[in-house]
Amino acid sequence: MNNITSAADMITVTFKNIENSALQNSNKMNSSWKKILTSIKSWNEDENLGQNLYEHSSVIEVKNHILLVEADHSGWIQMLQLHKQYILNGLKMYEPELNITSLAFRLKGSNATLSNVNYDNAYSEESKRYEKKLREEEKILNNYSKNDEKNSSGNEGGTSNELPPDLLKIFENMEKKAQKDK
């Protein structure tokens, strides 16, 4: 009786349930990841920062347009964060169909994963609550301003209804941000 199993047989058994397309997509992502990271240059020409970033990090999963990246030391996570926009631009170029909009990081050995929360919907709901609160606060301030005018002039029409310029600028900026976040 020979109980020895070849490595090829073990690999075949292990991967038989994985779809070929999923494996190809994974290989494509890993290839893109390597191209993007190794193209990062260091200010010190003797040091190959991009290659080091690649060797100390790996792609874990993509969910809700977020790419989860694992690194073997927190210092590498910081370096990846410094180059986050460059990496995102590279992903848009090499993997446009994934529409990755953000990166998340975890330290090797932790089991953190991306949740199944739809962040677009959660963000939209938060934006609506923010706008509603902003309108309520504007009403309160306008009423306060009107009452202040009555008290200072003895009648409603004595002074302007406008908010002080500093507050008006703050509200305009908040409103612009809320419109941009939509």
Side-chain angles (χ1 to χ4, degrees), residues 23-80:
L23 191 56
Q24 287 174 343
N25 288 341
S26 175
N27 288 338
K28 184 177 182 258
M29 173 54 105
N30 286 330
S31 174
S32 297
W33 183 249
K34 183 176 184 177
K35 286 178 194 173
I36 295 164
L37 290 188
T38 57
S39 70
I40 295 173
K41 304 298 180 210
S42 174
W43 60 271
N44 180 357
E45 291 180 19
D46 297 332
E47 181 182 318
N48 193 342
L49 176 62
Q51 184 65 34
N52 285 332
L53 285 170
Y54 173 71
E55 290 172 1
H56 293 278
S57 67
S58 58
V59 172
I60 301 301
E61 67 178 326
V62 177
K63 276 189 186 170
N64 298 321
H65 309 291
I66 300 170
L67 176 69
L68 178 61
V69 177
E70 181 178 80
D72 59 16
H73 189 276
S74 60
W76 292 116
I77 292 174
Q78 288 178 319
M79 292 304 293
L80 288 164

Side-chain angles (χ1 to χ4, degrees), residues 154-173:
N155 64 22
E156 289 188 45
T159 60
S160 169
N161 284 5
E162 292 189 31
L163 294 171
D166 296 323
L167 279 177
L168 189 58
K169 187 170 234 165
I170 290 169
F171 279 114
E172 286 172 356
N173 289 338

